[in-house]
Amino acid sequence: MAKTLKEAPITTASARSKLPAGEYARRLDADAAIWYRHGKRGGVWFARWRNHWAGANYLQAPVGPANDVNDKPTDGLLTFAQAEMQARQIVAKARQEAKAAAAGPVLTVRLAVETYVGERDARDSRRKGRTVRSDAGQRLRRYVLGRDKRGKQEAVRASKLAGVGLHALKESDLLEWRKELPEGLKGTTEQRLINDLKAALNGAYAAHRERLDPTLPAIIKHGLKAEKMDTDEAAPLARDNQILSAAQVGKLLAAAREIDREGNWDGDLFRLVVVLAATGARFSQATRMKVGDVQRAQARLMVPSSRKGRGGKIASVPVPVGKDVLDALLPVTTGRGNDETLLERWRSKQVAGSIGWERAGRGAWQFASELKRPWQEIRQRAGMPAVIPYGLRHSSIVRGIRANLPIRLVAALHDTSVPMIERHYARWIVDGLEDLAAAAVVPLLPPEGSNVVQIRGT
């Protein structure tokens, strides 16, 4: 904006009515102004500003019709104060977009999410030793990026959020995206999806900080913050029917042994279930154990830490186990190297030219879904059709609580946090400490008919 800009009295309807037809300005800043065009049929507002990037020297955009009757807010007409506010917003947005375009290809939510998905897919592929698609990638493709029709999967349109530039991202954009998520989406799935999107956006900001507004992390934080529950009653993570007694766990293990034998698993299925039950570990932890993690002399198993969280964990957690568990693992520890995978299973391939299958070597368990079909048979055989494999972890945690182990120790043994234990297993903490609480009870009421002893000095 030229320094010689001549400002005119356009801030009130009365002042504007005295002006002849023409264009008049009031400065917004050194390079921008709000303009008033006075015509025979009324006046209009528009914004004009200097463009410091590629293109014309000056740019302008309409603001709206002017209220030349009075200075009161009126539907469809703008007072000077209203027009000035809108003009500032138009100029700020235009400058922001011009700056983002001048710095290179515009960074959008889609680009941030695609970069994050690529990193997650690469990480999971590295861990599995083959090309795989990560769970995070599947969630984000379904609810943010969109996907083409693939096999039995229907095509999904990309969300409006995907096309929003990071330089223009607002909290309302994120909140609107959350409202459009399916109502039937499980709470845990929705939270994982939100966490993935948050990580993708924060990662993009960290990589392109010089190109983005410093307020972006706050927008991401508040737009994707966890929602508070509407009820005063906490929903426990572990349902009652997933907390198993030692006898029930024994029935599951007996059933696992039978299904293993009948299905020619050669002990692989049984040993996996034994480790899950004895340690309370997650499937992904148990399947990463090495032969050297079985420390018979110390009567313990070294369970690898989970890959959840932000790092800084110890490599593995020592979990004491009984001789029966160590004996069950003896066949896969004898004569094998310490760095070999502890729990393996047979792999099969189809015989060429036939519908038959043959064994093609042994390998580590890879996906929790590999346990789905045999687990159905195990729980039916044990007479517990509702129990899930994760119930073994729930039961292990509750056993520690009921044994009055310190909550910090229970959390450490199961590679989780004290707040998580307190949040989801609160009722069992109370049950486990009931005997200690009962010992602290003292009689408060005097026997009926007895005289109350007066305390000396009162």
Side-chain angles (χ1 to χ4, degrees):
M1 191 63 56
K3 294 181 180 180
T4 57
L5 176 70
K6 183 178 180 180
E7 295 187 292
I10 59 175
T11 58
T12 65
S14 176
R16 294 194 297 274
S17 66
K18 301 173 183 178
L19 297 173
E23 295 181 351
Y24 305 91
R26 294 286 290 189
R27 194 182 301 277
L28 295 175
D29 59 35
D31 291 326
I34 180 170
W35 286 75
Y36 172 72
R37 180 182 293 118
H38 188 42
K40 293 181 179 180
R41 297 184 179 180
V44 295
W45 302 106
F46 64 95
R48 181 181 292 168
W49 64 96
R50 182 187 293 274
N51 178 32
H52 292 281
W53 311 102
N57 287 333
Y58 289 93
L59 297 175
Q60 71 178 45
V63 176
N67 181 1
D68 289 334
V69 178
N70 53 47
D71 296 318
K72 297 179 180 179
T74 305
D75 290 342
L77 299 175
L78 301 176
T79 65
F80 173 80
Q82 292 173 321
E84 182 187 34
M85 181 178 65
Q86 292 192 23
R88 290 185 183 278
Q89 293 173 351
I90 290 171
V91 173
K93 182 178 179 181
R95 287 171 172 171
Q96 194 176 41
E97 291 178 349
K99 180 180 178 181
V106 176
L107 298 171
T108 62
V109 173
R110 171 178 291 279
L111 183 60
V113 172
E114 287 177 343
T115 301
Y116 176 77
V117 168
E119 293 171 352
R120 287 294 300 271
D121 288 352
R123 189 188 74 179
D124 286 10
S125 298
R126 186 170 61 253
R127 290 174 176 175
K128 300 293 184 183
R130 60 189 181 86
T131 302
V132 297
R133 289 191 174 192
S134 63
D135 291 341
Q138 294 180 28
R139 287 190 292 267
L140 291 168
R141 290 185 186 99
R142 182 172 182 180
Y143 297 109
V144 180
L145 299 178
R147 68 185 182 202
D148 297 329
K149 180 176 176 56
R150 183 172 179 237
K152 295 182 179 180
Q153 292 182 345
E154 296 295 329
V156 177
R157 291 171 54 186
S159 68
K160 291 187 295 184
L161 180 66
V164 177
L166 294 182
H167 66 278
L169 184 66
K170 302 186 294 295
E171 187 177 330
S172 58
D173 297 322
L174 298 173
L175 295 176
E176 185 64 28
W177 171 77
R178 294 180 69 165
K179 288 181 182 178
E180 293 175 353
L181 294 176
E183 291 184 2
L185 195 64
K186 289 179 60 176
T188 51
T189 301
E190 180 177 347
Q191 192 55 54
R192 290 190 183 101
L193 171 63
I194 290 172
N195 290 343
D196 288 331
L197 178 58
K198 186 186 299 184
L201 298 179
N202 283 328
Y205 175 75
H208 305 281
R209 187 173 302 176
E210 71 286 351
R211 296 179 55 184
L212 299 172
D213 194 291
T215 62
L216 181 59
I219 292 173
I220 298 169
K221 176 182 177 180
H222 294 290
L224 298 177
K225 67 181 179 180
E227 294 181 346
K228 293 183 178 180
M229 299 294 292
D230 293 331
T231 175
D232 291 334
E233 297 182 6
L237 176 68
R239 301 189 300 272
D240 286 346
N241 64 352
Q242 300 301 326
I243 306 303
L244 311 175
S245 65
Q248 289 175 312
V249 173
K251 288 179 65 176
L252 284 171
L253 292 175
R257 192 194 298 271
E258 294 174 5
I259 299 301
D260 182 290
R261 188 181 300 114
E262 294 169 7
N264 295 321
W265 286 85
D266 290 349
D268 294 334
L269 174 63
F270 174 64
R271 285 187 287 268
L272 173 62
V273 179
V274 166
V275 171
L276 293 176
T279 63
R282 305 172 182 87
F283 177 88
S284 60
Q285 293 174 269
T287 54
R288 286 190 287 117
M289 292 176 64
K290 303 296 184 182
V291 172
D293 291 328
V294 180
Q295 299 182 351
R296 193 175 184 89
Q298 292 82 15
R300 67 186 184 185
L301 301 180
M302 302 297 292
V303 180
S305 297
S306 72
R307 288 167 172 156
K308 300 175 69 174
R310 299 184 179 180
K313 297 181 176 181
I314 59 175
S316 57
V317 178
V319 180
V321 296
K323 183 176 180 298
D324 54 342
V325 173
L326 296 170
D327 288 344
L329 297 175
L330 197 58
V332 290
T333 57
T334 304
R336 301 182 68 205
N338 286 340
D339 291 334
E340 295 185 55
T341 302
L342 177 66
L343 301 172
E344 294 184 327
R345 56 163 296 186
W346 284 103
R347 299 289 170 188
S348 299
K349 66 177 182 180
Q350 193 168 11
V351 179
S354 72
I355 60 173
W357 293 78
E358 63 180 4
R359 287 182 169 177
R362 295 174 61 77
W365 292 79
Q366 295 181 333
F367 303 103
S369 58
E370 294 175 292
L371 185 58
K372 184 175 181 179
R373 182 176 295 178
W375 184 262
Q376 296 275 14
E377 300 177 18
I378 290 171
R379 65 184 186 179
Q380 292 295 337
R381 181 72 59 89
M384 290 179 278
V387 71
I388 60 176
Y390 214 78
L392 298 174
R393 176 173 172 82
H394 293 319
S395 303
S396 178
I397 291 173
V398 172
R399 278 200 307 274
I401 293 172
R402 285 175 170 168
N404 292 332
L405 295 180
I407 301 302
R408 181 68 189 87
L409 177 58
V410 175
L413 289 174
H414 294 87
D415 191 20
T416 188
S417 66
V418 171
M420 197 287 299
I421 295 283
E422 292 175 339
R423 184 182 308 120
H424 298 294
Y425 299 90
R427 59 163 294 190
W428 289 283
I429 294 175
V430 175
D431 290 346
L433 299 177
E434 186 175 4
D435 292 340
L436 294 177
V441 175
V442 298
L444 300 176
L445 299 178
E448 208 174 310
S450 65
N451 294 325
V452 178
V453 178
Q454 191 174 30
I455 299 175
R456 183 177 300 175
T458 61

